Amino acid sequence: MGSRLIGYGSYLPEKIMTNHDFERIMDTTDEWIVQRTGMHERHFAADGEEVVDMAAVAARRALDNAGIGIDDIDMVICATTSPELDFPSVGVQVLGRLGASKNQPAFDVRGACTGYIYALHCARGFFAAGMHRRIMLIGAEKMTRFIDFNDRSTAVLFGDGAGAMIFEHSSSGYSGIIDTVVMADGREFDMLHGTPDHKIAMNGPETYKKAVTLMPDAAQYIMEHAGITADNVDWIVPHQANLRIIHSGAGRLGFPLEKILVTVDKHANTSGASGVLALSYALDNGIIKKGQLILYPAFGSGLTWGAALIRM
Ligand code: UT7
């Protein structure tokens, strides 16, 4: 038993923070940021605009796109690392915002930048077990909660936003969420983590080195498992952390530039929202088309990493 994608939606805050805006408030340059990361701008949530606000808009848009209501959804899973409240989950809050009345289950997964892959992995398992008919997967982050404007090495890297996809049970194993793999190595905790005062602690160069090997490894594993190569995949949509990481990993796997989806220039790193925002952007703009095969590897704090194979 498998699934198929029946709707998607996204939300990006109105405020755009450019590299030049950073030049005005810290010791950095547009040239450094573009050369080292490929980022030009990112969206910043307004004061008081929280993960749940962004998640609820993305969820509503996904429901409208699918032409269904919230009570047609049987489960909500939200990938987020940056909620305003410790409890309840953002998933449950979204149910409330959208007026759900069916008592359907909802929960969050906290997998940092790999969070959406973890959510896809859970959904694939539920579909395989025949447990739920329609599952909404949200990725929503307010990474600006963690930005330390005194630390130029991390402040410029992150942005806010939310995306949602709705998958429906299908008897075909070749559509929707076809395969997933997720991994974690807690011994590498020190490389990238949140601090007790809600800041980001990251060893950038070490994280970079891990990202350029672990993401392609997970992607390669998924392709071998499915018996396919880069030639069979329409698009690789890597976690949008850094353009150099994206090109290096996708290149090693044999993907030509024209099959690599890049949104890091516009959204920067939105952690658990990164992949679903990239996919929504590409669908909205006719870049990725219905029926195409997507390989989506991700990597992040934990360390965590993984990949998903999705037929749109
Ligand atoms: O999504 C989760 C996973 N996260 C990642 O994948 C991030 C992985 N790491 C990276 O993307 C890169 O390591 C960074 C973009 C964070 C940094 O790039 P880098 O090429 O590794 O630079 P670096 O940390 O080695 O720093 C090089 C220089 C340093 O100056 P000195 O010591 O050579 O004088 C930094 O102080 O760049 C300096 N620097 C900056 N300069 C201008 C660091 N941040 C900035 C900045 N503007 N914003």
Side-chain angles (χ1 to χ4, degrees):
M1 286 200 224
S3 60
R4 66 187 184 98
L5 178 68
I6 61 164
Y8 72 94
S10 65
Y11 172 80
L12 287 160
E14 207 173 304
K15 181 179 175 184
I16 293 176
M17 182 83 177
T18 67
N19 294 347
H20 297 293
D21 292 328
F22 273 109
E23 281 178 341
R24 284 187 272 278
I25 58 169
M26 63 177 63
D27 180 19
T28 190
T29 60
D30 173 58
E31 191 190 4
W32 189 95
I33 302 171
V34 172
Q35 276 183 5
R36 302 291 177 123
T37 71
M39 295 168 187
H40 290 265
E41 59 189 39
R42 65 290 285 148
H43 292 252
F44 273 14
D47 284 347
E49 188 174 32
E50 298 298 340
V51 165
V52 63
D53 303 309
M54 297 187 278
V57 177
R60 163 57 55 209
R61 289 177 179 167
L63 290 170
D64 291 347
N65 181 256
I68 59 174
I70 187 64
D71 279 337
D72 296 313
I73 297 290
D74 302 314
M75 171 180 272
V76 173
I77 307 176
C78 181
T80 185
T81 305
S82 48
E84 178 197 18
L85 305 178
D86 290 332
F87 54 88
S89 69
V90 172
V92 171
Q93 292 182 69
V94 167
L95 284 179
R97 291 286 180 96
L98 299 186
S101 61
K102 220 176 68 173
N103 302 338
Q104 56 270 66
F107 60 94
D108 293 355
V109 294
R110 209 196 260 208
C113 299
T114 321
Y116 207 77
I117 307 286
Y118 272 78
L120 287 161
H121 188 68
C122 294
R124 181 170 75 88
F126 288 127
F127 284 126
M131 290 171 70
H132 300 284
R133 185 155 165 262
R134 287 201 189 110
I135 304 180
M136 177 186 278
L137 300 179
I138 304 171
E141 300 283 13
K142 182 177 176 178
M143 294 308 288
T144 50
R145 278 193 72 206
F146 306 125
I147 287 183
D148 176 357
F149 286 95
N150 296 312
D151 178 7
R152 66 178 182 172
S153 68
T154 56
V156 301
L157 302 178
F158 297 94
D160 303 329
M165 294 199 281
I166 302 169
F167 291 93
E168 182 177 81
H169 163 263
S170 154
S171 51
S172 164
Y174 298 101
S175 61
I177 311 164
I178 296 171
D179 203 0
T180 53
V181 61
V182 284
M183 283 178 258
D185 183 354
R187 293 168 301 180
E188 303 283 13
F189 166 90
D190 283 345
M191 207 173 283
L192 171 57
H193 60 88
T195 65
D197 59 341
H198 306 291
K199 299 284 184 282
I200 296 164
M202 178 171 75
N203 181 332
E206 286 305 314
T207 307
Y208 186 101
K209 275 190 234 160
K210 287 284 184 183
V212 294
T213 56
L214 295 179
M215 269 207 294
D217 283 355
Q220 184 65 39
Y221 174 89
I222 283 275
M223 286 197 290
E224 278 171 19
H225 202 231
I228 59 173
T229 68
D231 290 343
N232 308 111
V233 177
D234 294 300
W235 288 93
I236 184 162
V237 184
H239 168 51
Q240 305 286 315
N242 181 317
L243 188 61
R244 290 184 297 145
I245 295 175
I246 291 170
H247 281 163
S248 149
R252 267 184 50 199
L253 292 165
F255 283 91
L257 279 183
E258 57 275 17
K259 280 184 160 190
I260 307 172
L261 185 70
V262 172
T263 54
V264 70
D265 53 332
K266 290 177 266 297
H267 303 160
N269 183 348
T270 56
S271 190
S274 146
V276 63
L277 270 175
L279 287 170
S280 297
Y281 170 84
L283 286 165
D284 279 342
N285 290 283
I287 300 166
I288 289 179
K289 297 185 177 60
K290 225 177 148 32
Q292 288 193 318
L293 190 61
I294 309 300
L295 180 59
Y296 165 23
F299 169 88
S301 169
L303 296 178
T304 54
W305 68 100
L309 191 64
I310 305 171
R311 173 90 55 196
M312 303 306 283

